[in-house]
Structure formats: structure tokens, C-alpha cells
């Protein structure tokens, strides 16, 4: 069952009839909390851009701040699901989005920790986040190799900041999604539709292929679908 009010708790919207189910407007409550918090910050400091993060959102929440996908788990399926979730949100007009890296609940194994940070730097909103009962997750506590890997990923993230600013400007000004499915710029490419759950584009020119299972290199060759055109291995 849905964790919300019963389906027979009906509302009225634009007319007099009570015919709107609660699940259709459940997140309006979170939407208004988000909006009011942003307005409060602006009232206190009109010249400071507020940053208010939410996981309860509705149509229009993109105007107020960033969104994350909620309390996920340090499990490979949750890494995998983050790709279609975030791409779908971007395609719905909500592009400042991300998922908790490397999972909110439980403790990530070293390979999952590594793979999720490698993927997370290509989320529009990238952060590490964990439940208070998980083990400490600072990279230097997991050894030199993982520390060096995370340093490399974060460095790339900073190197690419001009690109991220450009993509966000295009989203704000023209409505272009920051993350895009592989078929976005080539609707006639039928093969691209088959890779929507583990491939995506950052803007028009960066292709990301998520590694979504453990020991991927030892199980089989990791296949990457390359759309028509010229490219290079970043």
C-alpha cells in the first residue's frame, strides 16, 4: 500500500466536485514547504542565492532548488536505478537532480563505492550522503587506491564546471535537459532505445556508461553503444 492518505480521501481542485485522489497531490505539501523555505531565505538575505534541497517535489519544484531521489541503499540495483530515475526527471523539466552516493543505507563494498563515485560526478547534483548508523565513508579511510580514485573523480568534476554552468544555463533559458537519453539527438536510431537504463548523455557531447554490477570486468567485456558520429575516450 502507498504510504499516504487513503484513496477515498478526495479533494476538490478547480470545481466543486471532490474527485481528486490524494495521491495526485500528495507532494504539493512538500512543494509548498520547499517554496516557503526559499522565500524565507530570500526575505532574510535578498542578495544571496539560497540553496534548499528537497526530496518531496511536484510540478514546478525546479524553480526553487535541487532535488535528490531519497533514501536509497548501498546496493548495486540502487546504483543502476539511479540512471533512468535521473534521466526521467531531467526529461520532465527537473534537471538539478542527483542520488545519494554511494547509497544512503548500509555500507558500500569498495567496488560499489568506487563505481558510484565514478558515475556520480556525471549527476547534475553530486554529493556523498549516508545514514548516521553507517560506517565512516571518507575516502582516506578506505585506502590509498580509493582515495586517489575519488580525488581524480572530484578533480574532473571541477574541471568540467564551465560545461555544467553552460548546461544549466541552457536548461534555465531554453528548457534543454541537462541529462538526456541516448536517443535524444537521434530519434531514428532504434538501437539507442535499448540502452536507456545504463547509458545517457550529459548535454549533447558526453556519453556516460554506468557500471551497474560487481566484477563487471571479470564477468565479461563491458559493452558500450556508440551512437553515429565521431568521439574520443575521455
Amino acid at each position: 500500500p502507498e504510504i499516504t492518505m487513503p484513496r477515498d480521501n478526495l479533494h476538490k481542485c478547480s470545481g466543486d466536485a471532490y474527485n481528486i485522489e490524494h495521491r495526485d497531490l500528495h507532494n504539493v505539501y512538500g512543494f509548498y514547504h520547499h517554496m516557503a523555505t526559499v522565500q524565507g531565505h530570500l526575505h532574510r538575505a535578498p542578495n544571496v542565492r539560497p540553496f534548499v534541497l528537497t526530496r518531496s517535489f511536484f510540478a514546478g519544484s525546479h524553480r526553487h532548488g535541487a532535488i535528490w531521489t531519497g533514501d536509497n541503499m548501498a546496493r548495486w540495483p540502487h546504483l543502476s536505478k539511479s540512471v533512468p530515475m535521473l534521466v526521467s526527471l531531467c526529461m520532465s523539466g527537473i534537471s538539478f537532480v542527483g542520488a545519494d552516493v554511494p547509497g544512503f543505507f548500509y555500507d558500500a563494498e569498495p567496488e560499489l563505492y568506487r563505481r558510484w563515485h565514478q558515475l556520480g560526478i556525471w549527476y547534475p547534483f553530486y554529493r556523498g550522503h549516508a545514514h548516521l548508523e553507517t560506517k565512516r565513508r571518507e575516502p582516506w579511510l578506505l585506502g590509498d587506491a580509493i582515495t586517489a580514485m575519488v580525488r581524480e573523480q572530484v578533480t574532473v568534476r571541477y574541471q568540467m564546471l564551465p560545461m555544467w554552468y553552460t548546461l544549466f544555463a541552457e536548461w534555465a533559458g531554453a528548457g534543454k535537459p541537462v541529462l538526456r537519453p541516448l536517443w535524444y539527438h537521434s530519434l531514428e536510431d532504434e538501437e539507442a532505445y535499448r540502452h536507456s537504463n545504463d547509458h545517457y548523455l550529459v548535454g549533447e557531447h558526453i556519453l556516460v556508461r554506468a557500471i551497474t554490477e560487481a566484477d563487471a570486468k571479470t564477468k565479461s567485456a563491458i559493452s558500450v553503444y556508440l551512437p553515429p558520429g565521431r568521439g574520443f575516450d575521455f
Side-chain angles (χ1 to χ4, degrees):
E2 298 182 15
I3 306 176
T4 184
M5 292 185 180
R7 292 184 64 183
D8 59 0
N9 181 36
L10 301 176
H11 305 261
K12 65 178 181 179
C13 185
S14 57
D16 293 328
Y18 286 85
N19 57 3
I20 307 297
E21 290 187 16
H22 182 75
R23 61 180 176 174
D24 291 328
L25 48 78
H26 174 89
N27 280 18
V28 170
Y29 183 76
F31 168 84
Y32 281 118
H33 265 279
H34 192 203
M35 182 175 69
T37 304
V38 171
Q39 290 177 346
H41 278 283
L42 290 172
H43 181 73
R44 181 187 65 178
N47 297 319
V48 178
R49 180 189 298 171
F51 178 82
V52 183
L53 179 66
T54 184
R55 66 178 180 183
S56 178
F57 55 94
F58 199 73
S61 288
H62 63 282
R63 293 176 295 172
H64 306 306
I67 291 163
W68 97 103
T69 54
D71 295 344
N72 57 4
M73 298 180 185
R75 300 286 188 265
W76 286 97
H78 285 243
L79 177 153
S80 178
K81 290 297 183 184
S82 73
V83 172
M85 287 178 72
L86 297 180
V87 173
S88 295
L89 286 170
C90 288
M91 292 292 287
S92 300
I94 302 176
S95 273
F96 199 0
V97 291
D100 288 344
V101 178
F104 181 72
F105 290 115
Y106 307 116
D107 300 310
E109 59 189 73
E111 185 182 4
L112 176 61
Y113 184 97
R114 180 167 58 90
R115 291 299 191 188
W116 212 326
H117 277 281
Q118 290 172 342
L119 175 64
I121 66 165
W122 303 109
Y123 293 164
F125 175 60
Y126 165 52
R127 69 160 181 174
H129 188 44
H131 190 266
L132 57 85
E133 294 180 357
T134 60
K135 296 178 181 178
R136 297 290 294 271
R137 294 180 173 187
E138 289 82 356
W140 53 88
L141 298 177
L142 302 176
D144 293 341
I146 285 184
T147 300
M149 183 281 304
V150 172
R151 182 184 295 116
E152 179 183 14
Q153 306 310 312
V154 173
T155 298
V156 170
R157 177 76 175 192
Y158 275 97
Q159 289 173 335
M160 303 298 286
L161 278 181
M163 177 207 71
W164 287 110
Y165 270 98
T166 300
L167 292 178
F168 272 77
E170 291 179 346
W171 168 50
K176 296 181 180 180
V178 173
L179 304 186
R180 305 166 190 180
L182 205 55
W183 45 262
Y184 187 84
H185 296 284
S186 52
L187 298 179
E188 71 286 350
D189 184 2
E190 295 182 4
E191 182 64 24
Y193 291 86
R194 300 186 178 95
H195 302 277
S196 297
N197 288 332
D198 52 19
H199 292 56
Y200 64 91
L201 298 171
V202 180
E204 185 175 355
H205 301 295
I206 292 181
L207 167 63
V208 177
R209 200 306 193 177
I211 305 301
T212 58
E213 60 179 343
D215 303 318
K217 283 189 174 181
T218 59
K219 289 179 179 177
S220 62
I222 300 173
S223 62
V224 179
Y225 177 68
L226 300 176
R230 297 178 62 186
F232 66 95
D233 185 355
F234 179 77

